[in-house]
Amino acid sequence: MIYTVEGGTKAQRKVVDSAMSYVVHILKIPNKVNVEIVLGKFISHGVREDSKNSFEIEICKAVNDAEIAYTVFHEMKHVEQLASGRLRHQGFVTFWEGKDMPLIEYHHRPWEIEAFKFEKNADSILTFV
């Protein structure tokens, strides 16, 4: 997997790099996947799938280092889910593990439950950033 980091401060980019150095060894993301991580003036965080192997993660740069690290972990879990095909969006319909998912509350979505669980791993790097 190849990733780039844009925007934010030098210290914020260092937090992203620290998080990514951990994430790349844990998640199963194919080498052909490209991820662009942008620290900018966003109102929220999220990942966008530009193509099957190209993703952009947007992180609001107005948050603290811990929030940046947690967001990298969370959104990279979504990259893994999308790249593997476990999570798929088609128009306004979301598919999880091949099943058309009804509209359900954010924190009850299985892909979000998995991402929130994974982001707790960020605790292991927060003492180093």
Side-chain angles (χ1 to χ4, degrees):
M1 180 196 61
I2 299 169
Y3 78 94
T4 57
V5 185
E6 296 180 12
T9 65
K10 184 176 181 179
Q12 288 173 322
R13 291 189 299 274
K14 182 181 176 191
V15 171
V16 171
D17 284 333
S18 294
M20 289 299 289
S21 68
Y22 182 93
V23 167
V24 298
H25 297 293
I26 303 299
L27 296 177
K28 295 175 179 136
I29 299 174
N31 291 336
K32 61 187 173 186
V33 168
N34 292 301
V35 179
E36 180 181 1
I37 301 169
V38 181
L39 293 149
K41 293 181 179 181
F42 304 111
I43 55 173
S44 63
H45 314 299
V47 63
R48 182 179 71 228
E49 183 176 18
D50 294 330
S51 69
K52 180 68 176 164
N53 296 313
S54 179
F55 302 88
E56 181 177 304
I57 294 174
E58 296 177 344
I59 301 174
C60 175
K61 68 179 183 177
V63 298
N64 63 37
D65 290 352
E67 181 70 20
I68 291 170
Y70 285 118
T71 300
V72 169
F73 276 70
H74 184 102
E75 300 304 335
M76 285 302 297
K77 186 63 177 181
H78 289 320
V79 168
E80 178 190 57
Q81 294 164 341
L82 290 160
S84 71
R86 291 179 61 221
L87 177 61
R88 186 170 57 87
H89 301 290
Q90 188 173 346
F92 294 105
V93 180
T94 299
F95 295 88
W96 176 247
E97 297 182 339
K99 297 177 186 171
D100 181 347
M101 297 300 293
L103 292 174
I104 53 179
E105 188 179 327
Y106 177 77
H107 287 284
H108 292 111
R109 298 171 183 168
W111 56 94
E112 293 298 344
I113 292 169
E114 197 173 271
F116 278 109
K117 183 178 177 184
F118 182 73
E119 82 176 41
K120 291 177 184 174
N121 289 303
D123 291 338
S124 63
I125 69 148
L126 288 174
T127 57
F128 302 110
V129 294

